[in-house]
């Protein structure tokens, strides 16, 4: 299926959408297509918003962000995210802010069909004060107080993986992040893949998502750039560094997006 | 230590000084949860020096990673490729961090208070921040669950503040906390308030007080850290250069 | 390390001990050694007690059982388990009885350092009435009532795996059951392995337990028989069928145990 | 259906009759949670007949297993070796069963009541049982979370009881329940009480009432199941024989 058609069919304005991938396998091509399709008012969910959400936020696609770490890893700030929070540009961004453990468990609860999950954490921090999706419950056996996070159940989750077979089963390997949980927590799920193969070959440290857990599978080689797909590409650390300057200035950012994303062709930066 | 062995303090950057002092604290067999930046450099420096068998764990899911080069992000391919095991992020936080299996957790901060609580969320008010910082990441659970926490942070009155703008991570309840700065080393005294226990070569206690936003407790027996050795500096610089070398 | 020495050092009378392995990789050799060492008053934990706990129970090693399915899979009853529950022979057996989901989550909570876990299940059943380690909690966000199970944290967990490397890291592959959770929930853990290798080679569908999560690793080829170790042996279905008759009669059972287990040599049945 | 195609009802055992009728209900693409015994045979029979692409899930952790032979236990090597994916048992129960991804869950029981609640725990009192049964296993969650539940159980007054000695699994709240016995087929009517909706060839409604420990509701339009075809019987017997063949 064409990525364009899959996203047009499944993602509509106002939906809650998760593009997952923890440093590795971030579905950039799908994010760019959402920008081209002009989606608005999305609630975006991601543990690490990374450059992809910096771009979606800067292009005015999102009104709310559920996240746990909003930096450019190893580089510094996400300037478009900061501009939205600090100055409301191009529009205000409501935040639902977790720790990594909190958001990971919120996905896990969603994948398990549970309304919440319990974990250690949050006690005594200001995170619990500002996030209505965090609460505390008492252990019915020991009386100990633990924290609880509300389940996250995206309307659509989108991931990038290395391979799909002819039945539409998808396999990813290497750092697996929270992708299985994001897919299984969602009402619909879309995977872009580097390669279409006849049969999946079992691999070490892999995650397989059966075809029947996915709504669409799209063949998009290089669809994780500037993130990477182990076995197919390496992380474009230079681009991550260069983004700092591109995103720092609103006009420079808009120009880059017009040239590199809106123009349509997915070219390596 | 002879003068020959010691690198002159002026030769090293503040970040190098912090990194070398943090690396010294690691021992073989310790399980270290490592983040980006100085912690990453410190843990990998320790592996080249006194602790070749310390176990590196990255919150991205890599357990027992043995990177050849200094990774730039915690999700670099080299970490995954050299790890003993890769686990999902929920498993990492539930079984490995939450389960209390980390001996040493490294943390940084934009603000730290007198009890080693940390802010990595905002400068200013939460609703209308002056500076929006990245946020929590794995820090709150590392602070809560690791057997000891090593905070690496540069010393300045803007960072060492009387009152945090936001409490992202609560000070270590379970074990030891050590704060390593470019001026010295602080540890909680009885009651939990940080106390200056050591200064780096050439640093006076008053320099540290000037860079601290509250009236600083100073240990009766203030120690002086050993200056970085030439080997420490060379290995650290080679490690940093390795990040730019192809695999 | 010799299995005999590892068990003598770590397992003492009265302890809570889990021997895990879901059909696959059941640590029979370790169970037999516990019988030979004459352990008494153990609280045994296992999702599927299987033949190994039928033997431990019949030999009077256990006073309490935490479990979720006490049958001989595909064959029928566990007669020694039944005799203990129905007739108190050779001694009464206190039961803490879960569903699979309940006990799996109790291990998971233990591995996570949490006092309890939440799940769907138990509502309206008599299981909740008779098991004090099951309770109900209300979701702090939706008000929905879900069930809760108390964490299981064995004093010692014992597993069987395919390989250990020279550092003591252990790898198992194939059906992985709840072994990782059992090891990480326990205060001490022992693994028996089919083979000692120099380096572990990454494999599909494998679980690796780092050396520092284990208290002892023992080289015990065939240590899962009549269960099996994928890649090394197949399940001895004939023995599982034959056990029905052996275990049905107390004397026949005792004779078999004397000849095959107490005599010391681990011979294939 | 001609007489040539149909195997005489007397030729098949009660278990074969139940298994064949259960197999008929499965369709391509359905995700089936399969246990030992007749469910295992029914699901694998359906794969040989009208539903080659139904997805078999075993609670041991095998997803999309395509066994060549009929597995004897749910943990047989053949299941693991042919599965699309293996997951841990906690993941199986949390993400796959609890997460509501099972279309058809098979269950058996020692006792069933008029609302299809099931007992697999004890006959007699819990503290001093007359017969100690294996217990719950995965049944309570399969009953609670699958989109539909297929109960396979032989019909007798000892099994179809007015009051269970122990409620192990509560009747399906979420979707459809079908009870297939060696006498016929029952489904919940409005209100949840089981109603006899079909009888097997040669079975009269009164035979079923005699084998049921409560006053049985009988559908106004009682149907008759098709007799097993020769192909169904042959494939089932070949499947059973396959369990004893080497791989």
């Amino acid at each position: 299926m064409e990525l364009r058609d899959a996203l047009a069919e499944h993602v509509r304005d106002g939906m809650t959408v998760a593009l997952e991938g923890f440093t590795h396998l971030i579905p950039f091509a799908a994010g760019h297509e959402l920008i081209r399709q002009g989606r608005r008012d999305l609630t975006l969910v991601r543990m690490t918003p990374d450059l992809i959400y910096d771009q979606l936020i800067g292009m005015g696609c999102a009104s709310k962000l559920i996240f746990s770490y909003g930096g450019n890893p190893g580089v510094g700030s996400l300037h478009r995210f900061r501009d939205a929070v600090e100055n409301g540009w191009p529009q205000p961004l409501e935040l639902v802010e977790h720790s990594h453990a909190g958001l990971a468990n919120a996905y896990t609860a969603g994948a398990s069909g549970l309304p919440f999950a319990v974990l250690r954490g949050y006690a005594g921090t200001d995170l619990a004060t500002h996030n209505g999706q965090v609460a505390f419950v008492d252990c019915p056996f020991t009386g100990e107080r633990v924290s609880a996070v509300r389940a996250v159940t995206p309307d659509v989750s989108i991931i990038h993986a290395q391979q799909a077979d002819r039945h539409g089963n998808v396999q990813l390997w290497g750092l697996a992040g929270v992708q299985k949980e994001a897919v299984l927590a969602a009402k619909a799920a879309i995977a872009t893949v580097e390669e279409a193969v006849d049969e999946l070959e079992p691999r070490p440290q892999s995650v397989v998502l059966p075809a029947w857990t996915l709504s669409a599978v799209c063949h998009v080689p290089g669809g994780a750039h500037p993130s990477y797909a182990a076995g197919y590409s390496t992380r474009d650390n230079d681009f991550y560094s260069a983004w700092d300057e591109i995103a720092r200035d609103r006009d420079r950012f808009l120009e880059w997006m017009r040239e590199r994303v809106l123009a349509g062709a997915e070219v390596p930066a | 230590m002879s003068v020959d062995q010691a690198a002159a303090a002026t030769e090293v950057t503040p970040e190098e000084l912090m990194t070398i002092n943090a690396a010294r604290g690691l021992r073989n067999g310790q399980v270290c949860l490592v983040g980006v930046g100085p912690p990453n450099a410190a843990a990998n420096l320790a592996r080249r020096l006194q602790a070749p068998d310390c176990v590196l764990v990255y919150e991205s899911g890599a357990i027992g990673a043995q990177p050849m080069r200094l990774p730039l992000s915690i999700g670099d391919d080299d970490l995954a490729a050299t790890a003993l095991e890769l686990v999902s992020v929920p498993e990492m936080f539930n079984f490995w961090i939450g389960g209390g299996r980390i001996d040493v957790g490294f943390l940084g901060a934009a603000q730290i208070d007198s009890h080693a609580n940390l802010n990595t969320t905002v400068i200013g008010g939460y609703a209308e921040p002056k500076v929006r910082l990245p946020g929590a990441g794995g820090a709150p659970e590392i602070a809560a669950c690791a057997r000891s926490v090593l905070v690496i942070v540069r010393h300045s009155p803007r960072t060492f503040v009387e009152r945090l703008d936001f409490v992202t991570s609560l000070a270590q309840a379970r074990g030891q906390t050590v704060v390593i700065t470019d001026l010295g080393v602080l540890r909680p005294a009885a009651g939990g308030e940080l106390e200056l226990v050591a200064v780096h070569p050439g640093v006076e206690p008053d320099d540290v007080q000037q860079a601290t936003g509250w009236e600083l407790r100073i240990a009766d027996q203030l120690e002086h850290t050993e200056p970085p050795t030439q080997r420490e500096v060379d290995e650290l610089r080679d490690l940093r250069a390795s990040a730019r070398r192809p695999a």
Side-chain angles (χ1 to χ4, degrees), chain A, chain B:
Chain A
M1 192 173 195
E2 289 293 320
L3 176 59
R4 185 183 313 149
D5 301 330
L7 294 179
E9 182 182 337
H10 291 285
V11 183
R12 289 183 295 278
D13 291 350
M15 277 188 167
T16 297
V17 179
L19 280 70
E20 272 298 346
F22 199 92
T23 311
H24 180 217
L25 291 173
I26 301 176
F28 270 88
H32 290 171
E33 183 57 31
L34 290 176
I35 291 169
R36 281 192 292 271
Q37 296 190 4
R39 293 280 70 80
R40 287 290 175 273
D41 200 28
L42 298 176
T43 292
L44 293 175
V45 193
R46 242 184 91 74
M47 295 187 65
T48 60
D50 205 274
L51 273 48
I52 186 61
Y53 279 12
D54 212 33
Q55 296 173 358
L56 280 152
I57 291 165
M59 294 303 283
C61 302
S63 57
K64 188 173 171 181
L65 177 69
I66 302 177
F67 78 110
S68 48
Y69 177 84
N72 181 345
V75 177
S77 290
L78 294 174
H79 296 289
R80 296 297 98 226
F81 159 68
R82 280 187 60 180
D83 204 8
V85 176
E86 294 171 9
N87 309 306
W89 191 93
Q91 64 180 81
L93 185 68
E94 184 188 342
L95 298 183
V96 176
E97 183 163 3
H98 281 286
S99 67
H100 277 347
L103 186 46
N105 276 291
Y107 277 122
T108 300
S112 304
L114 287 167
F116 71 107
V118 294
L119 67 149
R120 291 204 176 281
Y122 289 117
T125 74
D126 287 337
L127 287 162
T129 317
H130 289 92
N131 182 344
Q133 304 193 3
V134 173
F136 295 91
V137 296
D138 295 331
C139 172
F141 308 105
T142 64
E144 191 185 348
R145 179 152 285 202
V146 300
S147 54
V149 288
R150 186 172 193 150
V152 167
T153 54
D155 292 306
V156 185
S157 285
I158 304 173
I159 65 165
H160 185 72
Q162 280 96 339
Q163 295 180 338
D165 70 13
R166 65 181 195 281
H167 307 290
N169 302 306
V170 165
Q171 180 166 243
L172 61 92
W173 61 85
L175 295 168
V178 74
Q179 282 99 304
K180 181 185 268 192
E181 290 76 9
V183 164
L184 298 181
K187 297 175 189 72
I190 297 169
T192 57
V193 299
E194 290 288 333
E195 188 180 2
V197 298
D198 195 48
E199 294 276 352
L200 297 175
E201 184 191 323
R203 281 178 174 270
Q205 301 170 327
S206 74
V207 167
V208 175
L209 289 160
W212 45 276
T213 63
L214 296 163
S215 315
V217 178
C218 310
H219 184 206
V220 187
H225 182 269
S227 169
Y228 73 106
Y232 291 82
S233 57
T234 54
R235 191 169 187 267
D236 189 347
N237 285 323
D238 290 343
F239 183 78
Y240 272 86
S241 297
W243 182 252
D244 188 69
E245 214 189 303
I246 296 167
R248 201 177 281 269
D249 180 79
R250 291 176 186 173
D251 290 335
R252 173 104 198 264
F253 163 76
L254 288 172
E255 187 194 331
W256 191 92
M257 293 302 293
R258 267 194 301 270
E259 283 180 14
R260 305 299 185 105
V261 176
L262 293 182
E266 280 290 332
V267 292
Chain B
M1 182 179 296
S2 75
V3 174
D4 290 341
Q5 286 174 296
T10 50
E11 278 179 26
V12 301
T13 68
E15 190 169 311
E16 286 173 335
L17 188 61
M18 293 193 294
T19 302
I20 287 167
N21 274 278
R24 288 174 179 171
L26 300 183
R27 295 189 305 278
N28 266 336
Q30 281 185 325
V31 180
C32 304
L33 195 294
V34 182
V36 287
N40 200 352
N44 280 289
L45 177 59
R47 281 183 61 233
R48 288 180 169 219
L49 298 170
Q50 82 284 1
D53 292 331
C54 81
V55 178
L56 305 194
V57 176
Y58 289 79
E59 66 189 14
S60 53
I63 295 175
Q66 306 188 306
M68 303 297 133
R69 300 169 295 143
L70 186 66
L72 274 183
S73 85
I74 60 162
D76 272 26
D77 203 6
D78 198 27
L79 295 179
T82 63
L84 176 65
E85 185 179 21
L86 302 184
V87 301
S88 72
V89 168
E91 179 181 326
M92 172 55 63
F93 279 94
N94 290 338
F95 287 4
W96 300 88
I97 299 174
R101 266 167 265 280
I102 304 299
D103 293 314
V104 183
F106 286 92
L107 294 174
Q111 291 183 332
I112 179 170
D113 72 11
S114 62
H115 283 66
N117 300 307
L118 307 176
N119 173 18
T120 55
T121 302
V122 286
I123 304 297
Y126 185 74
E128 295 185 347
K130 227 171 72 183
V131 181
R132 173 65 225 199
L133 302 164
E141 287 76 28
I142 296 168
C145 300
R147 292 200 181 86
S148 68
V149 168
L150 218 158
V151 182
I152 303 181
V153 64
R154 288 191 64 170
H155 227 125
S156 94
R158 287 196 326 178
T159 302
F160 282 69
V161 297
E162 183 134 28
R163 192 182 163 78
L164 302 180
D165 289 352
F166 190 99
V167 180
T168 313
S169 301
L170 209 62
Q172 170 61 206
R174 198 174 152 218
Q176 296 291 319
T177 298
V178 183
V179 181
I180 294 181
T181 81
D182 50 337
L183 298 182
V185 180
L186 302 91
R187 292 176 182 271
E193 189 181 326
L194 287 175
E195 185 175 69
L196 182 69
V197 296
V199 287
H200 295 316
V203 176
E204 294 300 324
D206 192 54
D207 301 336
V208 186
Q209 176 62 75
Q210 292 302 319
T212 303
W214 66 82
E215 198 179 327
L216 186 64
R217 284 174 67 149
I218 296 173
D220 293 339
Q221 307 233 311
L222 187 68
E223 302 196 355
H224 293 259
T225 66
E226 296 288 338
T229 66
Q230 196 61 51
R231 173 143 187 249
E232 286 172 328
V233 175
D234 289 348
E235 289 286 357
L236 177 56
R237 289 176 184 173
D238 185 64
L239 188 64
R240 289 204 183 282
S242 77
R244 283 162 190 82
R245 281 198 294 267

